[in-house]
Amino acid sequence: YSAILHGGELRKAGENRNYRHAVFFDNDITNDETNINSYAELNSQSFNSNSLSMSMWIQPTKTSSANSRIITN
């Protein structure tokens, strides 16, 4: 399996957290409606691991359109 970041930025998560890094995707369309190209491409035919966890926190900074997608496949 692999992951490719498109426009994402790997950041240190801080000293007091139980994870070391976080990925930041800047898809703010306030000034540019075409700014929707930051995402992670996850490639795997199958995945089985007890040593990896992935979590996502979504922090909207503005009001989105009705029925906007947050996660798509």
Side-chain angles (χ1 to χ4, degrees):
Y1 53 89
S2 65
I4 301 169
L5 297 181
H6 297 274
E9 179 183 329
L10 188 62
R11 296 182 175 180
K12 291 204 180 276
E15 297 295 324
N16 298 326
R17 300 176 189 261
N18 60 354
Y19 51 93
R20 295 176 286 183
H21 295 90
V23 179
F24 174 73
F25 297 106
D26 179 11
N27 285 325
D28 185 351
I29 61 168
T30 301
N31 298 316
D32 180 2
E33 290 186 9
T34 66
N35 185 26
I36 57 170
N37 297 316
S38 295
Y39 61 95
E41 179 180 341
L42 307 173
N43 301 305
S44 176
Q45 294 298 318
S46 65
F47 182 82
N48 186 7
S49 174
N50 63 0
S51 62
L52 174 71
S53 100
M54 182 183 302
S55 300
M56 294 182 198
W57 294 269
I58 299 170
Q59 180 182 12
T61 58
K62 303 201 174 31
T63 303
S64 63
S65 301
N67 298 317
S68 293
R69 294 180 185 154
I70 295 176
I71 298 174
T72 62
N73 61 359

